[in-house]
Structure formats: C-alpha cells, structure tokens
Amino acid sequence: MDAAELGAFLASRRARIRPAEVGLPTGPRRRVPGLRRDEVAVLAGASVEYYTELEQGRGAHPSASVLAALARALRLSDDERDHLFHLAGRAAPATGAAAHVQPSMLALLDHLEGTPARVTTDLHVTLAQNRLGAALLGDPGPGSGPAASSVHRWFTDPASRALYPAEDHPRHSRDLVADLRAAVARRGRDPEARDLVDRLRVRSAEFTALWDSGDVAVRRSLRKRIVHPTLGVLELDCQRLVSEDGRQRLLFFTAPAGSPAAGQLDLLAVVGRQDLTGPPRR
C-alpha cells in the first residue's frame, strides 16, 4: 500500500468535484472549489476522522468495500477506480463488477431528485437509488452474492414478489427471464451471469421452464403496477436509460399528467418511507 500516493490521489479527485454535481448546495462561505473532506466521508458512508486519516496517509489498509464506496462518492472512472485499488494494495475489481456505479449514471441519478429512480446492472443488481426510489421500491436487497440480483430473489423468495399485484406475477416472470437471456448472451462467457442462471435452474422449476422456452426480449419502457404499503397500487411508466457498455441501467418511474398515479407520486415525496398506518414515531 502506498499511503502517501493514495492520500494525494483522493485529495486530487475530491478537489475536482463541484458540490452541485453530487446534489450539495454551494454556499457563499465555501472556501474550497471542490468537496470538503466531511462531504466525501458522508457520501461514502465513512467517518470524517477515518477519511481524513486516509488523505493524510495515516489510515489503515482500507477494505475493498470502502474503496468501492469512495470510488462512487468521488465519481471515479473505471481506470481511476482501478488505480485507487492498486494504490491501496488491493486487486482491482473484475471487469463489469457490480460494485462500481458508472459516474455518468450517478450524475443522472443526482438530477432526478423529484423522480423515483435507481441504477441497476443488466443482471438486476441494484447499485444505487435516490430517496424517492427507496420510498417507492423499498430495500434493494443484499449487496453481494446471488441474492443481490432481484431476478434470483424473484424466483427463490416469494416475499420479494409483494411489490407487485399477484395477477401481474406471470408477466413479470416472463419479462425477467427474457431480459436476462439477452444480458447473458451479451456477456458471453461471463462467470457471474452463467452462475446466476445455473443457480436459478436448480432452485426454480418456473425459471427453468421459462428459460427453456428460449424467449428473449430486452426490457425498455413498460407500464408497471407497484404496491406501496401506504399509498396502495401505483400504475407507473418505467423508463430505462442504458450505459454505453450495456451493463448498467438507470430506471426511473413517471406517471401521466392528471392521472391518479401522478397524485400518488406527489404524495410519495411527502410521505417518503413513513408507514402512516402504524403508531407515530417519537
């Protein structure tokens, strides 16, 4: 680990980011053009003391998860992320690894503050979501392992289907498998994709039957009905933007003007993740 170079690199990347790029206010008393150390720490989910020690070359050997969080917070490109890992004495993540959200996707997510949105991989692993995305879609699930993919959870955990009305489940199953088939083919011999399919064929007869049908279709925009514990069923349009390499997707949810769902989305912004059916929180 080259602690001094690591600290200098973090400082240089921090200095180039303007607060507005990550959704932070630009106040008149700001003395640095880029982000402050405490802001990077918050964005990365680390303590200010720990991040300060890293920049000063005094920190302990950071874990791969900490480095991935810093890469996301600092909007590093793939090459910059790999360099960060090398300076820390860690092996760079494999090509296409889900842990690193592409900076362009994060920038778009930051600008969708008033719209439910999340970034996923083409294997349906959630990488990031905004506040309204969390309010609408809930917990994105584990961050690693087979269950990180919502496709895996859909076919192995019945509770994961509660987000959608029961009568819509067969259509979602068909759409998920057809979309997954297209992603697996694009990835070629990628072991992560092949492992996901192999595990699902063992765990789910429904998945196996749909996979063996051979159907393929890339999911683009579609109408979804989503069950919210407080607001009921929201009928929304799910739009999708795809990264240049096809491995990451920005999903965002809208409603036609004047529709019941438009009013529900307005209320979602107020309600957030509160459960208004339970006792008041203190």
Side-chain angles (χ1 to χ4, degrees), residues 184-201:
V184 172
R186 281 195 307 270
R187 288 188 173 220
R189 298 182 179 275
D190 179 70
E192 180 186 8
R194 296 293 173 179
D195 179 65
L196 177 59
V197 173
D198 291 343
R199 287 176 179 271
L200 284 171
R201 289 180 67 88

Side-chain angles (χ1 to χ4, degrees), residues 16 21-22 71-72 74-78 80 100-112 118-120 127-128 241-251:
R16 70 176 182 170
E21 295 177 34
V22 293
R72 289 193 295 271
L74 293 169
R75 304 299 197 257
L76 301 188
S77 67
D78 288 349
E80 290 171 327
H100 184 59
V101 189
Q102 295 182 10
S104 59
M105 287 294 180
L106 276 177
L108 286 170
L109 185 65
D110 288 338
H111 284 85
L112 290 173
R118 69 170 27 168
V119 178
T120 75
L127 305 180
L241 298 176
V242 182
S243 63
E244 187 174 354
D245 63 4
R247 293 201 175 197
Q248 294 188 10
R249 305 162 173 184
L250 175 67
L251 308 177

Side-chain angles (χ1 to χ4, degrees), residues 40-51:
V40 175
V42 170
L43 291 171
S47 71
V48 178
E49 293 77 12
Y50 179 75
Y51 177 76

Side-chain angles (χ1 to χ4, degrees), residues 48-65:
V48 178
E49 293 77 12
Y50 179 75
Y51 177 76
T52 299
E53 289 179 354
L54 283 179
E55 266 205 18
Q56 294 176 344
R58 301 185 291 110
H61 196 164
S63 67
S65 61

Side-chain angles (χ1 to χ4, degrees), residues 145-205:
S149 169
S150 62
V151 179
H152 187 279
R153 297 196 303 276
W154 180 267
F155 287 103
T156 61
D157 178 11
S160 70
R161 301 191 176 197
L163 187 63
Y164 304 100
E167 57 269 29
D168 294 350
H169 292 178
R171 176 174 65 86
H172 283 297
S173 294
R174 292 192 301 271
D175 289 347
L176 285 169
V177 175
D179 183 76
L180 180 63
R181 179 181 292 280
V184 172
R186 281 195 307 270
R187 288 188 173 220
R189 298 182 179 275
D190 179 70
E192 180 186 8
R194 296 293 173 179
D195 179 65
L196 177 59
V197 173
D198 291 343
R199 287 176 179 271
L200 284 171
R201 289 180 67 88
V202 171
R203 295 283 304 275
S204 171

